[in-house]
Amino acid sequence: YRPEIDGLRAIAVIPVILFHAGVQLFSGGFVGVDIFFVISGYLITTIILADLEAGQFSLLKFYERRARRILPALYVVMASCLPFAWLWLMPSDAKAFFNSVLSVLVFASNMFFWRNTEYFDAGSELKPLLHTWSLGVEEQFYVLFPIFLMLAWRLGRKRIVGLLTIGALLSLALSVYATSTKPVVAFFLLPTRGWELAMGSLIAFYLEGKARDQFPPALNQALSFVGFGLIAGAALTFTKETPFPGFYALVPTVGAGLIIVFGSPETFVGRLLASRVFVGVGLISYSAYLWHQPLLSFARHRSLTEPGEMVMAGIIVLTFGLAYMTWRYVETPFRRGNIVPQRLLWRVSLASAVLIAGSTVGLASITVEERNIVDREMRAQWRSGTCMFGVDQTYETLLQNHCDVVPGASAQARDDASRSSKRFVLYGDSLAAHLYPGLVRGLGEDGIIQLTAGGCSAIRVTKGRRCTDFYDWFVDDYVPTNKIDGIIVSSSWLGAYERIGDEEFRTRLDALFEKLKGRRVIVYSQPASFLVDIERYLYRIEKITREVPRTLELEPQNLEAVNTALSEESAKFGFEFIDITQLFCSRSQCGVVKDGVVYFGDRIHLALSGSVLVAELTHGLLTRDYAGAPGPGASDKSTRDNTLPREALIVRNLDGTIRYWSDGAKKLYGWAPYDVLGKMSHQLLKTAFPVPLKVIEEELGTKGRWDGQLGHVLRDGSRVRVVSHWVTEQFPHSQDTSMKVIEVNSPLNTSSGSFRDELISLLY
């Protein structure tokens, strides 16, 4: 017995637990698993060699020892997880958990997680049994390695060591290659992890029969310190971005190997690891490893946000408390043959496995896959499966459901003067479909034609026939042969932009715009893109708290680059670009919930309330009259010269509070939307009126419009005179009864002599 090996187990398990708890200091704590692999390879080989030397090695006895060591505590933890998984996890997560339980029972959890997850992805921390992948690797090693040693024993130690060395080097080479080409394979599977276990085995062969004092004390001190330093360095400096395992896994594994070889009790490192605290933690390390991930995972499932430091600290304390109880009352008794005989061990193990498997299958069968209420509401409003065809459908679904034509105007629509008489086509993927519920409230069912496809970008970026056929049909067949007042285009722009890069994105966007040239085209940005799973968050609200928080703001991904590309390419063709990001986001935070209203249904899609908000604040921009815009090569200088500001569109409340600030307003005045939203427009721009503001407001209230010239101060302090046109609007059938003002400003120095008349004709 070497107490420092138990101490080494302690410095393996502690970083793993702290890493999974989100302690930033231990950003590379996942390397603790690699230390366990080296320890396992060393100890297992030492045990087998001793039995082979004595001529009493039994495969059945070996598997019995492994079963006593692994199964009892594992089954206790798995059985404890089942009821909490069924009660607390959303159905899709519960289904995945039940499948992972079955994979653990057949020693294949590493294969399951290889096919279904990435260790460092955003959702990995929510998988209660993710950590059992390492048990799968070890169990597969335990099945194969003893058989290899039995068959190769007659070849002699040197040949066995040679074969092990060759196998380890091949495994390491495969690990290095797969880490750069197939990182998930490299992380989870035995062929790319086997070299770490083989390293421990080779150390066992090297140390067999050798005295512990064979090396000079100074060398032992130095190399054991180096080993400890390598482990500490990896645990403290590696991150999720470190290419792993590959060559980087040599750092903690070599460190563990140096401690095993040189960390004798006479060294400082050996004495430290052999101390009572480290040995105590090492003894319960297996149970601590089993308990920590389910506890952390369930805590995250039960919390609407990431649990705080005190909660995490409490979970870590609970982990070691449960680990001690499991070690004392489960692990220790089952390891003793006089307490649990061999026959009883196999019977209990088999019965436990059958009971857990049966319970898992039973719970899975009564777990109904359902979506949260916001998601159900969203997809019904999107007309999913009809006017947004799904992944197993083609664009012909749109034709079969008559989505390509406007139904005859109903009497209600004809009598509703608040409705627009214009007809728009909504084109794109699900980020176009999520605009439909709001748009249809303002434009009416007769004013909007929905032609959308789930998973198909608005631009031609995929080789899949389903999406390219839809794109070709829309731009080559539908658009040229139908009379429409405008085409609204929206898509998951960020995903396409990141996949193909800025230059290619602009090229393909221009290809779409070239096909739509001569039409009025309104391009919508996507509202936001979150890294957190909003859908799971909303499920927790619905099932756990039964309450919606008054406010929730989360950090989004940066959309500035893709929105710049959309704005600039739209301007080239005289198309309108509406940045709806500003309706929900400040510079660093986006409002998922505001005043108790949920605006987002998942990471990128708007809930019904969000869709309505977008429609309310952009309805007037859509329904104003449009005289057409020249395409590329037209003679209008303001269209060809993208450096000149176009008209500035501002949506504000009657009291002047700014609600929307267009890209043209940003170019004209110098302020970005984030700088001005919520501020009073007249105070911000230091507006100089031709007549008292009260007179203008009276005319606006009486006639619903006003036009004239105003003086404004730009962000840089310079002054500009603008032709300004104001129109009041109230969104039809909206719960928000407040009146809004659409203000259109254009600088006099960019217009021709009759600019004022042209602007007025454009707006009426």
Side-chain angles (χ1 to χ4, degrees), residues 82-83 85-87 89-102 355-370:
L82 284 173
W86 186 67
L87 290 171
L89 303 191
M90 62 187 296
S92 59
D93 291 335
K95 291 276 190 181
F97 170 79
F98 295 141
N99 288 332
S100 71
V101 169
L102 298 177
L355 181 62
I356 292 172
S359 301
T360 299
V361 173
L363 290 174
S365 66
I366 61 175
T367 299
V368 179
E369 190 81 42
E370 62 178 26

Side-chain angles (χ1 to χ4, degrees), residues 307-349:
E309 293 179 358
M310 293 302 295
V311 174
M312 287 300 192
I315 291 172
I316 292 173
V317 172
L318 179 61
T319 293
F320 284 102
L322 289 173
Y324 173 77
M325 300 293 288
T326 307
W327 170 77
R328 181 167 182 177
Y329 297 109
V330 179
E331 284 192 69
T332 302
F334 271 90
R335 287 188 192 178
R336 296 175 179 173
N338 60 333
I339 298 178
V340 181
Q342 183 187 76
R343 181 173 296 181
L344 179 60
L345 171 70
W346 294 123
R347 287 178 177 176
V348 171
S349 298

Side-chain angles (χ1 to χ4, degrees), residues 10 20 120 191 211 257 286 404 452 519 586 606-607 623 630 683 698:
H20 285 150
F120 297 119
Y286 175 60
D404 58 322
T452 55
R519 304 276 186 165
S586 63
L606 294 170
T623 56
Q683 294 178 9
E698 288 176 355

Side-chain angles (χ1 to χ4, degrees), residues 235-263:
L236 298 176
T237 62
F238 285 7
T239 67
K240 294 179 180 180
E241 285 70 43
T242 302
F244 204 84
F247 279 126
Y248 282 93
L250 284 167
V251 178
T253 53
V254 169
L258 289 174
I259 289 177
I260 293 173
V261 175
F262 298 100

Side-chain angles (χ1 to χ4, degrees), residues 311-630:
V311 174
M312 287 300 192
I315 291 172
I316 292 173
V317 172
L318 179 61
T319 293
F320 284 102
L322 289 173
Y324 173 77
M325 300 293 288
T326 307
W327 170 77
R328 181 167 182 177
Y329 297 109
V330 179
E331 284 192 69
T332 302
F334 271 90
R335 287 188 192 178
R336 296 175 179 173
N338 60 333
I339 298 178
V340 181
Q342 183 187 76
R343 181 173 296 181
L344 179 60
L345 171 70
W346 294 123
R347 287 178 177 176
V348 171
S349 298
L350 180 60
S352 299
V354 171
L355 181 62
I356 292 172
S359 301
T360 299
V361 173
L363 290 174
S365 66
I366 61 175
T367 299
V368 179
E369 190 81 42
E370 62 178 26
R371 299 184 181 276
N372 65 70
I373 188 170
V374 175
D375 191 51
R376 293 195 301 271
E377 183 182 68
M378 282 195 315
R379 294 181 184 277
Q381 296 282 345
W382 295 355
R383 302 197 290 179
S384 180
T386 55
C387 295
M388 184 184 79
F389 64 90
V391 294
D392 56 347
Q393 298 173 310
T394 68
Y395 77 88
E396 293 178 350
T397 301
L398 305 175
L399 307 180
Q400 293 165 2
N401 289 283
H402 308 292
C403 300
D404 58 322
V405 295
V406 176
S410 63
Q412 179 183 355
R414 288 193 298 269
D415 294 339
D416 190 348
S418 66
R419 299 285 195 188
S420 168
S421 61
K422 299 180 182 299
R423 290 179 178 174
F424 294 86
V425 171
L426 178 62
Y427 165 72
D429 58 15
S430 58
L431 269 83
H434 76 168
L435 298 175
Y436 179 81
L439 293 173
V440 77
R441 280 165 170 73
L443 301 173
E445 291 184 359
D446 305 312
I448 186 77
I449 297 171
Q450 181 188 352
L451 301 175
T452 55
C456 292
S457 176
I459 58 178
R460 213 174 196 273
V461 295
T462 178
K463 296 180 180 179
R465 284 288 303 276
R466 169 179 163 271
C467 293
T468 54
D469 286 352
F470 171 53
Y471 175 92
D472 293 340
W473 168 78
F474 180 74
V475 299
D476 294 331
D477 294 342
Y478 182 82
V479 172
T481 58
N482 285 272
K483 184 179 184 303
I484 44 184
D485 294 296
I487 302 172
I488 299 171
V489 182
S490 186
S491 188
S492 179
W493 302 117
L494 181 63
Y497 185 85
E498 290 180 335
R499 283 197 305 274
I500 63 179
D502 182 84
E503 183 177 354
E504 185 65 19
F505 179 81
R506 290 173 183 263
T507 299
R508 300 196 184 194
L509 193 63
D510 287 352
L512 169 66
F513 288 171
E514 186 68 31
K515 295 282 189 177
L516 305 183
K517 188 170 59 177
R519 304 276 186 165
R520 183 187 179 192
V521 177
I522 307 98
V523 180
Y524 276 72
S525 74
Q526 63 184 87
S529 178
F530 296 101
L531 295 173
V532 300
D533 193 335
I534 304 298
E535 183 179 7
R536 184 174 281 108
Y537 174 86
L538 293 173
Y539 178 85
R540 295 168 188 166
I541 291 176
E542 183 181 357
K543 295 296 184 182
I544 299 173
T545 68
R546 304 288 179 180
E547 295 179 358
V548 177
R550 298 298 300 171
T551 301
L552 173 67
E553 292 187 339
L554 297 173
E555 182 179 357
Q557 291 180 277
N558 193 330
L559 298 177
E560 184 175 354
V562 66
N563 284 349
T564 297
L566 289 168
S567 174
E568 292 176 354
E569 300 311 308
S570 297
K572 290 180 183 178
F573 288 81
F575 295 164
E576 300 160 75
F577 173 66
I578 298 180
D579 179 8
I580 62 174
T581 307
Q582 61 180 276
L583 305 182
F584 305 97
C585 304
S586 63
R587 289 190 180 277
S588 60
Q589 298 286 306
C590 289
V592 178
V593 182
K594 185 176 182 181
D595 297 329
V597 179
V598 179
Y599 287 128
F600 286 86
D602 57 30
R603 286 188 174 98
I604 58 176
H605 294 106
L606 294 170
L608 176 61
S609 54
S611 180
V612 171
L613 176 64
V614 169
E616 286 180 356
L617 294 179
T618 62
H619 175 261
L621 308 182
L622 296 176
T623 56
R624 65 192 183 94
D625 283 341
Y626 182 78

